[in-house]
Amino acid sequence: GVTSSAPGSGTAYVVEVAHDSGLSLGFGQEDINNGTSTGNTASDESNTTAYVKFAMGPVTIGMQEAYQNSANGAQDNEASFWAVAYTAGDLSLSYGESSIQGHPTAATAAPVEKELESIQIAYTMGAMTISGAMAETGNAGGTAGQTYEENRLSVAFAF
């Protein structure tokens, strides 16, 4: 969506091929035209992603690559994601990692890779779910050496 009062438009599509074996392959493309009424295209961008996912029994494994191409020499970004999940009955456990690297526009700026690791667990008993998660981000906010950690424990009831 457009976040300003300037006119904007875009197109996107995703193609997925899934097989009975549990294998899914997908590709997506998005073009966003955020130009203003004066024709400024500085915030236009093109995003591309491809993924593969395999599910067998209680285990699912997935991997995704993405690339953002910004207009007029603005910073481009590329990202990699992967995760594995185990779900059996009332128990669910998952682990994932992601990496996002910007390509600075200034020749003197060094690229900083943001990395995220996260593990989650959930157990459901009737209408109650107990869940927990631990996550750590390296080079948070694109600042080298800055780390952000978050731990969460929750109990939810469904009525």
Side-chain angles (χ1 to χ4, degrees), residues 2 6 21 67 70 86 102 119 124 127 132 152 154:
V2 177
S21 66
Y67 186 77
S70 300
Y86 174 82
I119 187 167
T124 303
R152 180 178 47 89
S154 68

Side-chain angles (χ1 to χ4, degrees), residues 2-22:
V2 177
T3 59
S4 70
S5 60
S9 65
T11 58
Y13 63 87
V14 175
V15 176
E16 181 180 67
V17 177
H19 189 266
D20 290 341
S21 66

Side-chain angles (χ1 to χ4, degrees), residues 22-85:
L23 181 64
S24 298
L25 303 170
F27 174 81
Q29 173 67 37
E30 172 185 54
D31 292 307
I32 301 172
N33 304 310
N34 287 327
T36 65
S37 57
T38 61
N40 179 5
T41 60
S43 62
D44 290 355
E45 64 184 68
S46 176
N47 300 296
T48 305
T49 188
Y51 64 90
V52 60
K53 181 175 71 171
F54 182 70
M56 177 179 279
V59 177
T60 302
I61 300 170
M63 184 173 192
Q64 180 176 358
E65 295 284 330
Y67 186 77
Q68 175 197 17
N69 183 12
S70 300
N72 294 338
Q75 178 172 305
D76 296 340
N77 296 294
E78 62 182 287
S80 299
F81 314 92
W82 75 268
V84 59

